[in-house]
Amino acid sequence: MTHPERGLTVAERIEKVTQQLPPQTKLIAVTKKISVPLIRQAYQVGIRDFGESRIQELEAKQSELKDLSDITWHFIGHLQRNKAKRAIELCTWIHSVDSLSLARRLDQLAINQTHRPKLCLQVKMLDDPSKYGWSVSELKQDLVGLLECKSLDIQGLMTILPLGLSEPQKLKAFEGINTLAQEITAQTDHALNLQELSMGMSGDFQWAIQAGATMVRVGRSLFGDR
Ligand SMILES: *Cc1c(COP(=O)(O)O)cnc(C)c1O
């Protein structure tokens, strides 16, 4: 693989990515393993949405960046049950609700909270044993259970594609997620109103945008290799 963006500053990389995004698509800068000074550089050029995949790391960075009070924090990693309460307290968004049991846990915890994060359900359009999340058929089976979670603010679907797909396969998989969100919204008569599509990373965000992504989660293209 070549690295054409090597040598660019974080500001220049952000500019390059931002130019490719339609105005309605939110850029979430994924800062796992990225240092606080680099996060500040991103903030200085206008980034306000940051994504982390571990609660401990998110907590540490939040406390170091307390002075930047208008940051929106997104949790994008697998959430362990024992960290669920912390995640609710710390995050505006949790993109990675990946099982009915986690959804039920968050629902119980959310009953006592004034602040309820916005949630995405993590779905695998294609089989991928190395990833968390529902398969399409599992999600359809769990819809009834999800609808019983009355305290959750479920806003959309999230996906991570398996490695090694061709460009047409990437586009097709992202389009499948979009269609699935519309199907579920219609089937549940908007009880689950899945308007947000969190999809696309450094390697595939162009196709995610084409398929209607509302949020892209980009790390390496902004900060370089971790
Ligand atoms: C790391 C990560 C990203 C960003 O990936 P890049 O390839 O660095 O753009 C996006 N989403 C999730 C869930 C991640 O863990």
Side-chain angles (χ1 to χ4, degrees), residues 28-32 52-53 75-78 95-96 122 158-160 198 200-205 216-222 224 226:
I28 299 167
V30 175
T31 49
K32 61 183 184 216
E52 285 283 341
S53 56
F75 189 73
I76 62 171
H78 175 59
H95 292 235
S96 41
Q122 185 173 347
M158 181 273 228
T159 200
I160 306 171
S198 169
M201 311 178 18
S202 294
D204 53 25
F205 70 85
V216 293
R217 310 175 310 272
V218 181
R220 283 175 297 129
S221 294
L222 308 181
R226 290 179 288 270

Side-chain angles (χ1 to χ4, degrees), residues 192-213:
L192 278 177
N193 192 14
L194 304 178
Q195 299 300 319
E196 299 284 345
L197 298 172
S198 169
M199 53 192 200
M201 311 178 18
S202 294
D204 53 25
F205 70 85
Q206 289 92 342
W207 294 277
I209 293 164
Q210 274 187 50

